[in-house]
Amino acid sequence: MKYIKGKGILVGTYNENDLKNGKDKIDVLNISKETGFNYTNNEFVKRNGKIVGIKIYVCKIEDFKI
């Protein structure tokens, strides 16, 4: 796992179905336990100007963005 300054460690990229089924929450919990990082940053994934997913990162408090 590689830590990206200003973002954190990429947990994964999730679509609407993944979010509805809670896959993102399970993955964040597992990576948080593994790394000890308790904060998340999000980045929208767009195609043709439409949001089609979200990238979720776990991070240190120093890199957490509101």
Side-chain angles (χ1 to χ4, degrees):
M1 288 183 267
K2 183 180 176 185
Y3 194 94
I4 302 168
K5 187 170 173 68
K7 291 185 180 184
I9 296 172
L10 179 63
V11 175
T13 303
Y14 301 92
N15 62 30
E16 187 176 356
N17 287 331
D18 294 333
L19 299 174
K20 284 181 183 176
N21 294 324
K23 182 172 178 0
D24 60 314
K25 292 178 184 176
I26 294 167
D27 292 348
V28 166
L29 182 62
N30 289 335
I31 298 290
S32 291
K33 285 181 182 177
E34 197 175 315
T35 62
F37 302 144
N38 296 317
Y39 298 90
T40 60
N41 283 324
N42 303 311
E43 184 178 288
F44 292 116
V45 177
K46 293 183 180 182
R47 287 198 191 110
N48 299 323
K50 259 187 131 173
I51 296 173
V52 295
I54 188 169
K55 289 184 180 181
I56 301 177
Y57 300 83
V58 292
C59 64
K60 303 174 190 174
I61 193 167
E62 298 85 15
D63 291 319
F64 177 65
K65 298 175 187 168
I66 296 177

